[in-house]
Amino acid sequence: MEKKTIATDVLVVGAGISGLSAALETAETGFNVTLIEKNPFIGGRVAQLNQYFPKLCPPTCGLEINTKRLKENPRITLYTLTEVESIKGEPGNYEVTVKITPRYIRDEAPEDLCEKVASEIEFTKDDDFNYGLNKSKIMYMPYNNAFPMKYVFDKSACPADKLDELGEKFTDCLDLAQKPETKVFTAKSVIWAAGWDPYDANKLELLGYKNNPDVITNVELERLAAPNGPTEGKIQVPGMDKEIKSVAFVQCAGSRDENHLEYCSSICCLASLKQARYIREQLPEAEVHIFYIDIRSYGIFEDFYNDTKEDEKLFFHRGKVAKVFKEHGSDKLTVEAEDTIAGELNQLDVDLVVLATGMKPRTQKIAEFNPELLDRCGFVRTDIKDGIIGCGVCTRPKDVAGVVQESTGAAMKAIHIIKRSK
């Protein structure tokens, strides 16, 4: 692999809403920023949302403005399909090695040609943008508003014995001889905004996710409700022609549990309230049941909770769900939970179950660099003066507005480190 060394003032890891905001705030103050993103597009998890709460507007509300700012700022250099391999050094003198995966598309290939070639390649893969709810071509545009608006060829998803054939057939578009590239950046400051992953619902065996297609996660429902999602916004049981008359939301699915995630992800309650609105608007006859330990609707979100709970077909059940199962021969799911107010064990039959899974920070590379920078749950500590600067959900679960606010603080910390290192 070719190896290059590039100097920058600030290296921002992750181009979701937190990393993008931190990069823009830093660059617009006059510093050079290198922004790296492991996906082929910017926007992170926010790009995969249907709507923000509490305003219930689409993610383009914020992303389009920031994308425009990014395009117009010559001080930011963006690298997509790029992941950190190692970190060395200290504040004022970091060395970060990254690996860049190629798109395997010729730079000079026009978009209309790429679109034509993509339509002719028959091989498919799980669509990562839609959390595997559908298939996409192995040569694809990530989504309709993606930036950069460029096609990607997923070489790893192509049958090995077909690579040469495709490369020769579409040589004016594909360049399958491209190799991954290693670059080494020297930076005075590093902002870690690598985002989060939904907790793996397959580990929640008692909640029925693995064996029942009508048990889905909150992030999957977000894509089902999205107009650019796998069902073009129609909320339905994936792969099933099943009428939905009742839905149960299981809060704290894997959260506040010493066997899974011991912490509260804080925004899951509000996300479920928002998604309950999706269902009630689209399926006006459906009942929605929310099983909760306690509802977290802090500060300005209290009004959102109060407005939502006025719905006469929205029911709240205080108690943690013990299990979700399906009786033999039944097409209904049974949700079993203790009613902690009445002190009773109750069962409820529904058509769809949504698991409100928690948020896991992507901080493994920091753990390899210096585990003392992380707390026991894997979040970047904010009480350490000198170190990698955490930003967004990497420091704790939070809503989009909170992420953007913290990004400004991260930019200020990075600038302070630069000033001190001179």
Side-chain angles (χ1 to χ4, degrees):
M1 294 183 184
E2 185 182 358
K3 190 172 182 178
K4 298 178 181 180
T5 301
I6 302 172
T8 188
D9 291 322
V10 180
L11 179 75
V12 179
V13 181
I17 194 67
S18 58
L20 184 58
S21 298
L24 289 166
E25 296 288 344
T26 306
E28 289 172 357
T29 312
F31 296 93
N32 294 320
V33 178
T34 298
L35 178 61
I36 68 171
E37 168 57 49
K38 78 167 195 172
N39 289 316
F41 60 90
I42 67 170
R45 299 288 178 193
V46 167
Q48 295 171 280
L49 295 178
N50 175 39
Q51 294 177 343
Y52 298 109
F53 58 75
K55 292 184 177 180
L56 300 183
C57 59
T60 49
C61 289
L63 286 179
E64 284 187 349
I65 295 171
N66 283 339
T67 299
K68 184 174 185 293
R69 290 166 69 193
L70 176 65
K71 291 177 181 178
E72 295 175 349
N73 198 313
R75 291 189 176 276
I76 301 178
T77 304
L78 172 67
Y79 294 88
T80 55
L81 290 169
T82 302
E83 296 188 69
V84 171
E85 292 203 313
S86 66
I87 311 170
K88 299 178 182 178
E90 58 190 1
N93 185 27
Y94 283 109
E95 182 180 286
V96 183
T97 302
V98 306
K99 177 184 177 183
I100 305 173
T101 301
R103 290 177 180 262
Y104 300 108
I105 306 293
R106 295 190 182 279
D107 291 338
E108 65 274 15
E111 184 176 332
D112 58 346
L113 174 61
C114 291
E115 183 178 5
K116 178 177 181 296
V117 171
S119 67
E120 293 184 23
I121 295 176
E122 61 182 10
F123 304 111
T124 62
K125 68 182 192 70
D126 287 342
D127 189 334
D128 296 330
F129 191 77
N130 288 326
Y131 296 101
L133 290 169
N134 65 319
K135 297 289 185 179
S136 70
K137 292 292 189 74
I138 62 171
M139 182 175 168
Y140 63 100
M141 184 74 73
Y143 70 104
N144 56 339
N145 287 319
F147 179 80
M149 188 67 76
K150 294 180 179 180
Y151 275 83
V152 188
F153 181 89
D154 189 343
K155 196 173 181 180
S156 65
C158 182
D161 60 345
K162 296 295 183 179
L163 284 171
D164 289 344
E165 177 184 329
L166 292 178
E168 292 175 3
K169 182 177 181 180
F170 302 113
T171 186
D172 52 345
C173 179
L174 300 180
D175 183 1
L176 302 185
Q178 292 177 1
K179 302 294 184 184
E181 184 180 6
T182 296
K183 290 184 183 290
V184 179
F185 293 95
T186 56
K188 297 180 178 67
S189 185
V190 174
I191 297 176
W192 197 270
W196 57 279
D197 289 312
Y199 188 70
D200 185 1
N202 287 300
K203 296 179 179 180
L204 307 172
E205 295 181 8
L206 293 178
L207 298 184
Y209 178 78
K210 185 181 294 185
N211 300 317
N212 299 292
D214 34 10
V215 178
I216 63 174
T217 66
N218 47 1
V219 292
E220 291 171 344
L221 178 58
E222 200 70 22
R223 293 309 305 149
L224 290 173
N228 65 345
T231 58
E232 297 182 343
K234 181 181 179 181
I235 297 174
Q236 62 185 58
V237 176
M240 296 177 64
D241 183 17
K242 178 180 179 181
E243 186 179 5
I244 299 175
K245 295 183 178 179
S246 55
V247 180
F249 283 86
V250 178
Q251 299 309 112
C252 301
S255 297
R256 303 171 74 173
D257 185 333
E258 62 182 10
N259 296 313
H260 299 284
L261 303 178
E262 64 179 75
Y263 52 86
C264 170
S265 288
S266 74
I267 69 163
C268 305
C269 292
L270 290 159
S272 292
L273 291 171
K274 174 189 70 172
Q275 293 177 343
R277 290 192 178 198
Y278 295 169
I279 292 167
R280 294 287 298 120
E281 288 171 4
Q282 191 173 133
L283 304 170
E285 299 304 314
E287 291 185 352
V288 176
H289 300 263
I290 297 180
F291 291 83
Y292 70 98
I293 298 176
D294 36 47
I295 297 293
R296 301 293 174 93
S297 58
Y298 46 89
I300 62 172
F301 299 120
E302 188 72 16
D303 290 340
F304 183 70
Y305 163 63
N306 287 329
D307 289 343
T308 304
K309 75 176 183 179
E310 292 301 315
D311 189 326
E312 62 181 11
K313 291 199 173 185
L314 178 59
F315 304 94
F316 291 85
H317 307 268
R318 191 173 189 274
K320 191 171 178 66
V321 172
K323 60 182 177 179
V324 176
F325 60 95
K326 187 176 288 186
E327 296 285 2
H328 181 70
S330 174
D331 64 348
K332 292 278 189 178
L333 291 160
T334 300
V335 179
E336 184 173 287
E338 180 187 4
D339 182 334
T340 57
I341 296 177
E344 300 173 347
L345 186 65
N346 294 328
Q347 291 185 345
L348 177 70
D349 291 340
V350 296
D351 298 306
L352 177 68
V353 169
V354 183
L355 304 181
T357 54
M359 309 165 85
K360 288 189 64 178
R362 291 177 176 163
T363 53
Q364 181 56 39
K365 287 300 177 180
I366 296 181
E368 295 173 8
F369 167 62
N370 182 357
E372 293 184 0
L373 296 177
L374 305 180
D375 66 18
R376 69 180 188 178
C377 295
F379 294 100
V380 181
R381 293 171 58 183
T382 57
D383 60 337
I384 296 180
K385 184 177 181 181
D386 289 325
I388 293 174
I389 302 165
C391 185
V393 178
C394 288
T395 62
R396 65 176 176 83
K398 58 180 71 69
D399 62 277
V400 174
V403 162
V404 173
Q405 290 172 359
E406 188 180 51
S407 300
T408 300
M412 292 179 66
K413 289 179 183 178
I415 293 168
H416 181 64
I417 290 173
I418 294 170
K419 294 290 188 180
R420 279 192 326 186
S421 66
K422 289 185 177 180

mmCIF file of all heavy atoms in Angstrom, residues 134 184 202 242 280 373 397:
data_model
loop_
_atom_site.group_PDB
_atom_site.id
_atom_site.type_symbol
_atom_site.label_atom_id
_atom_site.label_comp_id
_atom_site.label_asym_id
_atom_site.label_seq_id
_atom_site.Cartn_x
_atom_site.Cartn_y
_atom_site.Cartn_z
ATOM 1 N N ASN A 134 -33.746 -4.646 3.187
ATOM 2 C CA ASN A 134 -33.933 -4.959 1.776
ATOM 3 C C ASN A 134 -32.562 -5.210 1.156
ATOM 4 O O ASN A 134 -31.544 -5.209 1.852
ATOM 5 C CB ASN A 134 -34.657 -3.820 1.060
ATOM 6 C CG ASN A 134 -33.819 -2.548 1.035
ATOM 7 O OD1 ASN A 134 -33.166 -2.200 2.018
ATOM 8 N ND2 ASN A 134 -33.841 -1.849 -0.086
ATOM 9 N N VAL A 184 -0.970 8.661 6.666
ATOM 10 C CA VAL A 184 -0.628 9.023 8.036
ATOM 11 C C VAL A 184 -0.791 10.527 8.184
ATOM 12 O O VAL A 184 -0.194 11.302 7.439
ATOM 13 C CB VAL A 184 0.817 8.606 8.394
ATOM 14 C CG1 VAL A 184 1.143 9.031 9.819
ATOM 15 C CG2 VAL A 184 0.997 7.107 8.233
ATOM 16 N N ASN A 202 -30.107 -9.291 18.462
ATOM 17 C CA ASN A 202 -29.989 -10.751 18.444
ATOM 18 C C ASN A 202 -29.551 -11.298 19.792
ATOM 19 O O ASN A 202 -29.765 -12.480 20.094
ATOM 20 C CB ASN A 202 -29.000 -11.191 17.360
ATOM 21 C CG ASN A 202 -29.561 -11.028 15.963
ATOM 22 O OD1 ASN A 202 -30.573 -11.622 15.610
ATOM 23 N ND2 ASN A 202 -28.909 -10.198 15.154
ATOM 24 N N LYS A 242 -49.204 -8.502 6.430
ATOM 25 C CA LYS A 242 -49.922 -8.667 7.694
ATOM 26 C C LYS A 242 -50.520 -7.339 8.120
ATOM 27 O O LYS A 242 -49.813 -6.333 8.214
ATOM 28 C CB LYS A 242 -48.951 -9.189 8.760
ATOM 29 C CG LYS A 242 -49.544 -9.365 10.150
ATOM 30 C CD LYS A 242 -48.480 -9.892 11.114
ATOM 31 C CE LYS A 242 -49.028 -10.046 12.515
ATOM 32 N NZ LYS A 242 -48.003 -10.545 13.466
ATOM 33 N N ARG A 280 -49.645 6.093 14.358
ATOM 34 C CA ARG A 280 -51.014 6.589 14.516
ATOM 35 C C ARG A 280 -51.454 7.432 13.318
ATOM 36 O O ARG A 280 -52.629 7.412 12.941
ATOM 37 C CB ARG A 280 -51.134 7.388 15.811
ATOM 38 C CG ARG A 280 -50.957 6.551 17.065
ATOM 39 C CD ARG A 280 -52.152 5.654 17.331
ATOM 40 N NE ARG A 280 -53.331 6.481 17.545
ATOM 41 C CZ ARG A 280 -54.438 6.446 16.806
ATOM 42 N NH1 ARG A 280 -54.531 5.599 15.792
ATOM 43 N NH2 ARG A 280 -55.454 7.243 17.053
ATOM 44 N N LEU A 373 -8.873 6.946 28.633
ATOM 45 C CA LEU A 373 -9.680 8.038 28.086
ATOM 46 C C LEU A 373 -11.164 7.687 28.052
ATOM 47 O O LEU A 373 -11.995 8.550 27.771
ATOM 48 C CB LEU A 373 -9.210 8.398 26.675
ATOM 49 C CG LEU A 373 -7.794 8.958 26.550
ATOM 50 C CD1 LEU A 373 -7.456 9.203 25.088
ATOM 51 C CD2 LEU A 373 -7.652 10.246 27.343
ATOM 52 N N PRO A 397 -25.135 9.177 25.311
ATOM 53 C CA PRO A 397 -26.287 9.268 24.411
ATOM 54 C C PRO A 397 -26.957 10.636 24.533
ATOM 55 O O PRO A 397 -27.099 11.168 25.637
ATOM 56 C CB PRO A 397 -27.207 8.155 24.905
ATOM 57 C CG PRO A 397 -26.310 7.191 25.600
ATOM 58 C CD PRO A 397 -25.255 8.038 26.241
#
